């Protein structure tokens, strides 16, 4: 995977800009005695903004840009001149990107629409100049507000492909073959396990010009939720799917057991995934005769729609589309949220990304570090009281 251009997990360090300090300037001009305070306000620091881009399909650009810093706001000047605002940094990401706090694993936000903008880190507010504090009893205030500090945070960005149907199955279950048969996608197909090394999307045409999106992920094996095989790394891509299509080949020793193993791995990865609509397809059914099909039908689970299909001969594909379309548009499915986010714990991280060490620049310690507007104002008025005695 190190040589692949499909990057769906990246860890970066972001820092917004700090606000500029307010000016303590006094008006100086000929023939204008006691001109009074005219110090301008400081500019705000730049924001860190996420922006959705439907033309992007990977987080690859961020792999080579690990530090994203906005610029600071400038200090206020004489003549009530406002300081210049810091420049915002806009991070373009693919639609379907989810953001987590890298330290706590807490879910922060997600980008689901093209051109959608989310303010990830706010720039610090600029401080007020001394002209704001002139009163009838204090006509020459010699103080101004400092700017608010920058916010620094390391975050993990995960890309979760947007699809209606997610394919879940063991290696060589026929997932890629099905995707190539019902859509124009051309995934790699071969007779060895783990042919699919990265997720694939295909648009499946339906009746009357309708369509839905099918997502194929690498095959998962028993123990995938504990980190075995490739499935764990890509199971995140089915968290956004409305329907999960479980696929078990007809030559399996025990179809019911294989289905239960797959379902258990999905539950172990994220328990909420078990609440999604499920369909079971028995693939490679062209090798079965009517008698064998009847016998196998008795052993299939009866708590979800099941059918026999063959992507090679086209058997059952029309019925499969009908079932999937019905499940996608069912009332229960429309009421439930189809986007599920599990906490970002140790098992769900990518080891090489967590091993990445941020080379942070040395900075002067900040003497003033309030974090909220209330603390900011309280700090200022404490300083003012000490000046006024």
């Amino acid at each position: 995977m190190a040589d692949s251009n499909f990057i769906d997990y990246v860890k970066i360090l972001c820092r917004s800009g700090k606000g500029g300090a307010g000016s303590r300037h006094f008006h100086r001009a000929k023939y204008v005695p006691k001109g009074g305070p005219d110090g301008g306000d400081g500019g705000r620091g730049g924001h860190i903004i996420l922006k959705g881009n439907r033309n992007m399909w990977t987080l690859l650009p961020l792999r080579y840009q690990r530090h994203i810093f906005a610029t600071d706001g400038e200090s206020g000047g004489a003549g009530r001149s406002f300081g210049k605002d810091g420049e915002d940094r806009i991070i373009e990401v693919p639609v379907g990107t989810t953001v987590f706090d890298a330290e706590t694993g807490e879910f922060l936000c997600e980008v689901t629409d093209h051109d959608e903008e989310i303010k990830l880190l706010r720039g610090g507010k600029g401080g007020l100049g001394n002209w704001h504090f002139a009163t009838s009893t204090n006509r020459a205030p010699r103080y101004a507000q400092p700017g608010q500090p920058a916010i620094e945070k390391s975050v993990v960005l995960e890309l979760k492909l947007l699809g209606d149907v997610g394919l879940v199955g063991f290696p060589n279950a026929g997932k890629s073959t099905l995707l190539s048969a019902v859509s124009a996608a051309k995934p790699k197909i071969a007779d060895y396990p783990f042919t699919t090394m990265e997720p694939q999307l295909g648009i499946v045409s339906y009746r009357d010009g309708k369509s839905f999106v099918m997502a194929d992920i690498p095959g998962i094996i028993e123990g995938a939720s504990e980190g075995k095989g490739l499935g764990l790394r890509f199971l995140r891509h089915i968290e956004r799917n409305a329907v999960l299509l479980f696929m078990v080949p007809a030559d399996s020793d025990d179809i019911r057991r294989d289905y239960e193993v797959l379902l258990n791995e999905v539950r172990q990865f994220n328990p909420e995934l078990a609440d999604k609509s499920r369909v079971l397809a028995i693939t490679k059914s062209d090798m079965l005769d009517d008698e064998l099909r009847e016998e196998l039908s008795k052993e299939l689970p009866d708590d979800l729609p099941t059918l026999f299909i063959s992507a090679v001969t086209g058997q059952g594909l029309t019925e499969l589309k009908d079932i999937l379309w019905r499940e996608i548009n069912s009332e229960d499915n429309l009421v439930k949220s189809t986007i599920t986010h599990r906490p970002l714990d140790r098992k769900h991280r990518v080891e090489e990304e967590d091993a990445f060490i941020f080379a942070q620049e040395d900075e002067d310690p900040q003497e003033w570090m309030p974090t909220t507007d209330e603390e900011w104002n309280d700090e200022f008025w404490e300083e003012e009281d000490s000046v006024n005695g």
Side-chain angles (χ1 to χ4, degrees):
M1 290 304 298
D3 298 329
S4 173
N5 285 334
F6 182 79
I7 304 299
D8 59 354
Y9 184 110
V10 71
K11 185 177 179 182
I12 61 175
L13 179 67
C14 299
R15 185 195 301 152
S16 62
K18 59 185 178 184
S23 172
R24 295 178 292 178
H25 190 269
F26 288 88
H27 184 63
R28 298 285 187 269
K30 195 176 183 180
Y31 308 121
V32 183
K34 300 180 181 179
D38 69 344
D41 302 344
R44 69 156 176 85
H47 303 309
I48 300 293
I49 299 172
L50 294 176
K51 183 177 181 180
N53 185 343
R54 66 186 172 203
N55 298 317
M56 293 179 66
W57 66 284
T58 175
L59 296 171
L60 181 64
L62 293 176
R63 187 163 189 156
Y64 304 104
Q65 189 181 11
R66 301 300 189 124
H67 302 83
I68 299 179
F69 301 153
T71 59
D72 299 333
E74 294 182 359
S75 300
R80 300 189 184 182
S81 298
F82 290 176
K84 183 181 178 182
D85 291 343
E87 292 183 11
D88 299 335
R89 288 300 306 274
I90 296 178
I91 308 173
E92 291 199 343
V93 295
V95 174
T97 299
T98 308
V99 185
F100 297 89
D101 188 312
E103 304 300 326
T104 64
E106 176 190 2
F107 168 74
L108 298 178
C109 62
E110 59 182 338
V111 181
T112 56
D113 296 314
H114 179 61
D115 283 340
E116 177 185 5
E117 292 190 357
I118 295 177
K119 207 169 286 180
L120 182 61
L121 297 179
R122 287 183 173 274
K125 290 182 180 178
L128 299 178
N130 62 345
W131 70 275
H132 285 278
F133 308 108
T135 65
S136 58
T137 57
N138 184 13
R139 297 192 174 189
R142 299 183 180 275
Y143 47 82
Q145 281 184 330
Q148 283 186 326
I151 302 173
E152 185 173 282
K153 188 185 290 290
S154 57
V155 296
V156 168
L157 275 65
E158 277 192 354
L159 173 60
K160 300 179 182 179
L161 297 181
L162 299 176
D164 299 304
V165 180
L167 304 183
V168 182
F170 292 114
N172 279 10
K175 301 186 298 299
S176 298
T177 306
L178 174 65
L179 185 66
S180 64
V182 299
S183 73
K186 300 298 179 187
K188 184 178 180 181
I189 300 171
D191 58 354
Y192 56 86
F194 296 114
T195 310
T196 302
M197 298 294 289
E198 57 191 42
Q200 301 284 337
L201 287 180
I203 298 177
V204 181
S205 299
Y206 191 59
R207 299 185 177 127
D208 303 324
K210 300 172 184 173
S211 63
F212 57 89
V213 179
M214 185 176 283
D216 176 23
I217 65 170
I220 63 177
I221 60 175
E222 190 169 3
S225 58
E226 301 298 325
K228 294 182 182 178
L230 295 175
L232 176 66
R233 181 163 181 175
F234 298 106
L235 276 170
R236 70 175 71 100
H237 293 287
I238 64 174
E239 289 185 305
R240 289 187 180 276
N241 302 148
V243 179
L244 301 182
L245 176 59
F246 288 81
M247 300 179 64
V248 180
D251 57 358
S252 169
D253 294 334
D254 190 334
I255 293 177
R256 178 186 283 271
R257 180 191 172 279
D258 285 354
Y259 163 70
E260 289 173 354
V261 169
L262 291 170
L263 182 59
N264 180 62
E265 293 304 323
V266 169
R267 279 178 176 152
Q268 291 295 324
F269 179 77
N270 187 344
E272 294 184 33
L273 287 178
D275 297 332
K276 292 184 180 290
S277 299
R278 303 192 299 273
V279 177
L280 175 60
I282 314 304
T283 63
K284 307 179 183 179
S285 296
D286 52 305
M287 64 177 68
L288 301 176
D289 56 23
D290 294 338
E291 189 179 342
L292 273 174
R293 195 177 291 112
E294 240 175 78
E295 226 173 282
L296 289 175
S297 298
K298 299 174 185 176
E299 302 174 3
L300 299 181
D302 52 4
D303 59 341
L304 76 166
T306 60
L307 75 164
F308 292 86
I309 65 169
S310 172
V312 175
T313 64
Q315 173 194 336
L317 295 188
T318 302
E319 292 82 353
L320 177 64
K321 289 182 184 180
D322 290 337
I323 291 175
L324 292 176
W325 183 259
R326 186 175 68 243
E327 292 294 326
I328 291 170
N329 295 282
S330 67
E331 244 178 75
D332 292 340
N333 207 19
L334 293 175
V335 170
K336 289 188 293 189
S337 171
T338 59
I339 300 177
T340 310
H341 302 293
R342 43 95 188 108
L344 189 66
D345 60 20
R346 181 184 57 80
K347 288 192 304 182
H348 298 137
R349 292 180 180 269
V350 176
E351 188 177 345
E352 58 266 30
E353 289 291 334
D354 277 346
F356 176 76
I357 299 174
F358 294 112
Q360 301 184 29
E361 300 174 358
D362 294 332
E363 294 185 354
D364 296 332
Q366 295 176 346
E367 298 177 358
W368 176 78
M369 288 293 293
T371 55
T372 64
D373 289 348
E374 291 77 10
E375 292 173 353
W376 189 45
N377 291 328
D378 290 346
E379 180 75 19
F380 166 72
W381 291 118
E382 286 174 10
E383 290 180 2
E384 183 191 10
D385 292 341
S386 64
V387 171
N388 294 336

